């Protein structure tokens, strides 16, 4: 039996009858399935219960936030993760070559192979793509506040960007990696689960998710007047083209901020408040994922 954890919001946005549609796809593939529709905050608990109940695989049906939540429950277990990409960006699926079409994704779950991948962790919270602090989570928090006031998503994002950029002066952080410690002021700190491509055709994607390394990206020399352009590049997935971007690899990172209060941290697009210091580490090959069988 395969258990599908369906993000209720993602499903209703794409198809009013998505649950029935997914059930039909699994039945067509002769794969017994149980579909559990829940809110995003309940996905990890539902996935953990399914794994403990003996599910052959637990499938995340939603966007990267849903994948991250389900992955957090399956890390270091023998229960494989399947992915049905129903989100906006679906970065994790794309980087693993998992089809974005639901029918093809179900076929992958039914006839694919498993592959071990790394996950990132910060203060005991799992992420599969990336984590960041600074300007991005601040803009997302402002955008969500505007959406609660009735603004449309695109308009809320533009207004949030303008509001945050108007007053943003960057953040002062102390970054410790191994024996090296560095004090910098930067508009953002982006930590990727393995290396992101910063140029070429695969810009913004990852070639591998199993090299056992975190990659940190920051821009300590950027001037305030350059932030709007950098933000525009980031929103277009082209932040790596900015000349002030710096990066380095590490297995573990410690991030201290100038203030003791909790900071906003983005984890695969979800915003959470975390106490500092932020302790990042990679967990090599902690997650088993169903991917297409290239030899089939």
């Amino acid at each position: 039996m395969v258990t599908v954890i369906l993000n209720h919001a993602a499903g209703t946005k794409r198809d009013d009858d998505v649950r029935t549609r997914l059930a039909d796809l699994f039945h067509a593939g002769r794969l017994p399935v149980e579909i559990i529709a829940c809110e995003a905050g309940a996905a990890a608990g539902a996935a953990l219960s399914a794994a403990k109940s003996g599910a052959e695989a637990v499938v995340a049906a939603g966007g990267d936030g849903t994948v991250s939540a389900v992955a957090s429950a399956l890390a270091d277990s023998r229960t494989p993760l399947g992915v049905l990409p129903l989100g906006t960006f679906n970065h994790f699926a794309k980087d693993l070559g998992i089809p974005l079409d639901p029918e093809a994704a179900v076929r992958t779950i039914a006839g694919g192979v498993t592959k071990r991948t790394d996950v990132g962790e910060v203060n005991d919270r799992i992420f599969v793509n990336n984590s960041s602090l600074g300007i991005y989570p601040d803009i997302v928090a402002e955008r969500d506040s505007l959406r609660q006031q009735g603004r449309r998503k695109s308009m809320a994002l533009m207004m949030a960007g303008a509001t945050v950029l108007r007053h943003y002066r960057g953040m002062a952080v102390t970054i410790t990696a191994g024996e090296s410690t560095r004090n910098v002021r930067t508009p953002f700190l982006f930590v990727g689960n393995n290396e992101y491509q910063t140029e070429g055709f695969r810009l913004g994607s990852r070639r591998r998710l199993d090299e056992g390394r975190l990659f940190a990206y920051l821009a300590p020399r950027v001037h305030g007047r350059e932030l709007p352009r950098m933000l525009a590049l980031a929103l277009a997935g082209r932040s790596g083209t900015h000349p002030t971007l710096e990066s380095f690899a590490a297995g573990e990172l410690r991030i201290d901020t100038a203030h003791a209060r909790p900071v906003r941290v983005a984890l695969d697009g979800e915003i959470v408040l975390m106490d500092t210091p932020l302790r990042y580490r990679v967990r090599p090959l902690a997650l088993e994922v169903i991917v297409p069988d290239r030899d089939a």
Side-chain angles (χ1 to χ4, degrees):
M1 175 73 72
V2 169
T3 299
V4 175
I5 308 300
L6 172 64
N7 183 326
H8 179 71
T12 52
K13 180 178 179 181
R14 294 178 64 92
D15 189 339
D16 289 338
D17 204 20
V18 66
R19 187 169 181 168
T20 300
R21 182 187 178 202
L22 292 181
D24 290 342
L25 290 175
F26 277 94
H27 292 156
R30 298 181 180 179
L31 197 61
V33 65
E34 176 188 21
I35 299 177
I36 301 173
C38 61
E39 301 297 331
L48 183 60
S49 295
K52 288 182 175 179
S53 297
E56 294 179 26
V58 180
V59 177
D64 285 311
T66 304
V67 173
S68 184
V70 174
S72 70
L74 302 183
D76 295 321
S77 79
R78 295 183 178 181
T79 304
L81 167 71
V83 180
L84 274 172
L86 301 180
T88 303
F89 299 110
N90 305 305
H91 293 301
F92 188 71
K94 290 176 182 176
D95 290 344
L96 287 174
I98 295 170
L100 302 186
D101 173 71
E103 184 174 356
V106 170
R107 287 199 300 269
T108 293
I109 295 165
V113 297
T114 59
K115 174 184 176 67
R116 304 296 301 192
T117 69
D118 305 334
V119 298
E121 180 184 281
V122 53
N123 291 11
D124 299 322
R125 292 288 299 267
I126 294 291
F127 59 95
V128 295
N129 294 326
N130 55 70
S131 170
S132 67
L133 57 156
I135 194 169
Y136 172 72
D138 285 355
I139 288 175
V140 172
E142 179 67 19
R143 180 204 66 186
D144 291 346
S145 176
L146 290 169
R147 291 196 69 190
Q148 290 176 1
Q149 298 172 30
R151 302 285 185 179
R152 289 187 175 182
K153 186 174 182 179
S154 58
M155 178 59 68
L157 180 60
M158 288 188 292
M159 293 176 64
T163 299
V164 173
L165 285 169
R166 188 180 305 124
H167 305 290
Y168 201 77
R169 297 295 180 268
M171 60 178 181
V173 295
T174 300
I175 304 172
T176 302
E179 301 298 320
S180 173
T181 298
R182 183 180 180 189
N183 297 300
V184 297
R185 178 171 288 275
T186 178
F188 63 84
L189 177 64
F190 176 100
V191 181
N193 172 26
N194 285 273
E195 184 178 14
Y196 277 78
Q197 303 305 302
T198 57
E199 59 184 16
F201 179 73
R202 286 176 54 86
L203 183 70
S205 63
R206 293 165 291 179
R207 290 192 180 97
R208 298 189 62 174
L209 279 76
D210 58 359
E211 292 189 309
R213 295 188 294 175
L214 300 174
F215 274 78
Y217 301 83
L218 63 161
R221 299 189 308 278
V222 71
H223 298 290
R225 63 180 179 274
E226 297 178 279
L227 277 176
R229 177 172 177 263
M230 176 170 276
L231 176 61
L233 289 171
L235 292 174
R238 298 179 56 83
S239 58
T241 63
H242 199 280
T244 63
L245 188 73
E246 298 181 11
S247 66
F248 63 90
E252 296 186 2
L253 294 170
R254 171 177 167 142
I255 311 298
D256 291 274
T257 59
H259 304 286
R261 62 177 178 267
V263 296
R264 290 191 185 107
V265 179
L267 297 169
D268 295 327
E270 304 294 324
I271 308 302
V272 298
L273 281 175
M274 287 191 169
D275 293 325
T276 56
L278 302 176
R279 300 180 185 273
Y280 285 89
R281 68 174 178 133
V282 66
R283 289 166 59 176
L285 307 181
L287 184 66
E288 188 170 359
V289 186
I290 303 172
V291 299
D293 184 355
R294 299 304 181 189
D295 296 327

